[in-house]
Amino acid sequence: MVDLPVFDAVVYRTTYPNGKIYVGQDRTNSINYFGSASSVLIAADFSPEQRKSFTVTRDILWQSTTATRAEINSMEVHFILTLRANDPEVGYNRWPAFTPRTVPVD
């Protein structure tokens, strides 16, 4: 299979009212796409009252009109790890699996 470039791909961060984040990719840069974070995980963090009015923010972290799917996937994982979006205390990403560090990273 040939890994062809994808037009106008983005890696984004969605930030929820509780400060937790989700990092994802969109290979069409749709203005109406906010990711596929687990609704069950998100719902568990908000009361019924908090769910009545809900604002999320989507920030583009990286964008390309020439990247291949492999490059887009690589950038998504880079930002998930860098921003610790896979740490349950920080974000809603569950892949790659979070590994707590006991030694500070330089």
Side-chain angles (χ1 to χ4, degrees), residues 81-82 84 99-106:
L81 297 175
T82 300
R84 295 181 36 227
T99 304
R101 297 180 187 243
T102 55
V103 177
V105 178
D106 292 333

Side-chain angles (χ1 to χ4, degrees), residues 5 7-9 12 17 23 31 36 39 42 47 53 56 69 74 79 84 102:
F7 178 72
D8 208 15
Y12 60 86
V23 173
I31 196 165
S36 55
S39 295
I42 296 168
S47 70
S53 180
V56 297
R69 285 185 182 204
S74 177
F79 282 108
R84 295 181 36 227
T102 55

Side-chain angles (χ1 to χ4, degrees), residues 58-70:
R58 187 180 92 153
D59 299 297
I60 303 298
L61 304 172
W62 176 85
Q63 185 169 10
S64 176
T65 58
T66 61
T68 64
R69 285 185 182 204

Side-chain angles (χ1 to χ4, degrees), residues 9-14 21-26 59-64 70-87 90-96 98 101:
V10 299
V11 173
Y12 60 86
R13 172 184 55 213
T14 302
I21 62 173
Y22 176 81
V23 173
Q25 63 173 271
D26 180 2
D59 299 297
I60 303 298
L61 304 172
W62 176 85
Q63 185 169 10
S64 176
E71 291 168 325
I72 300 163
N73 292 339
S74 177
M75 290 305 296
E76 179 184 23
V77 170
H78 163 76
F79 282 108
I80 289 170
L81 297 175
T82 300
L83 298 172
R84 295 181 36 227
N86 59 339
D87 177 346
V90 175
Y92 293 112
N93 291 81
R94 292 300 173 259
W95 185 90
F98 177 67
R101 297 180 187 243

